[in-house]
Amino acid sequence: MAVQLLTPEGMFAPVPYHHVSVSTGARHVHVAGQIARDADGKPVATGDLAGQLAHALRSTARGLAGAGATFADVVRLRFFVTNWSPEKYDDFIAGIERVTDELGIPRPLPPLSAIGVDYLFEPDVLVEVEAFAVLD
């Protein structure tokens, strides 16, 4: 396996992700920020953070698959969320959990950052997902 996920003793826990990933592969896969748009560019799950996040993760999975990777190969995830506030946490987690089994997303998640931003791409976009993976 090209990716080992771990949380060394003494690091902040519990969190729904690992703090460290170690990759040993030679082929890197970068999936650009995915948003809630269908294949025709039409908005999906307007106004629904959990729905948009689930769709963006499905698109991320398609991008990974196109390069021969899966979420098991992901070294790092990055989420950008508009107008972040702690009240959005439950919807954020619900969007991830909605597709975790379907997409084979590891639990705990790979190392991740969730970054609050003022806005993204277009006004209806609530979240964007980026992934970085390594293959043998």
Side-chain angles (χ1 to χ4, degrees), residues 11 13 22-23 26-27 29-30 34 37 48 53-54 56 61 67 70 83-84 87 89-90 92 99 111 113 131 135:
M11 294 189 84
V22 179
S23 60
R27 200 166 147 234
V29 178
H30 297 261
Q34 297 300 300
R37 293 288 187 267
D48 174 10
L53 184 48
T70 69
N83 301 310
W84 177 258
E87 294 78 29
Y89 181 79
D90 289 341
F92 179 81
V99 295
S113 296
L135 301 172

Side-chain angles (χ1 to χ4, degrees), residues 48-115:
D48 174 10
L49 176 60
Q52 286 198 15
L53 184 48
H55 184 82
L57 285 166
R58 286 183 183 110
S59 293
T60 301
R62 280 190 285 282
L64 291 166
T70 69
F71 274 100
D73 302 305
V74 170
V75 175
R76 178 169 185 70
L77 291 167
R78 186 172 295 130
F79 300 88
F80 295 94
V81 184
T82 61
N83 301 310
W84 177 258
S85 68
E87 294 78 29
K88 293 185 175 187
Y89 181 79
D90 289 341
D91 288 338
F92 179 81
I93 295 300
I96 295 169
E97 289 177 349
R98 189 177 295 178
V99 295
T100 299
D101 291 337
E102 170 190 335
L103 301 177
I105 298 173
R107 290 181 188 154
L109 295 163
L112 64 84
S113 296
I115 302 164

Side-chain angles (χ1 to χ4, degrees), residues 35-44 55 59 62:
I35 60 173
R37 293 288 187 267
D38 66 15
D40 296 322
K42 294 183 178 128
V44 174
H55 184 82
S59 293
R62 280 190 285 282

Side-chain angles (χ1 to χ4, degrees), residues 2-4 21-25 28 75 132 134:
V3 179
Q4 176 191 10
S21 62
V22 179
S23 60
T24 57
H28 294 198
V75 175
F132 170 61
V134 175

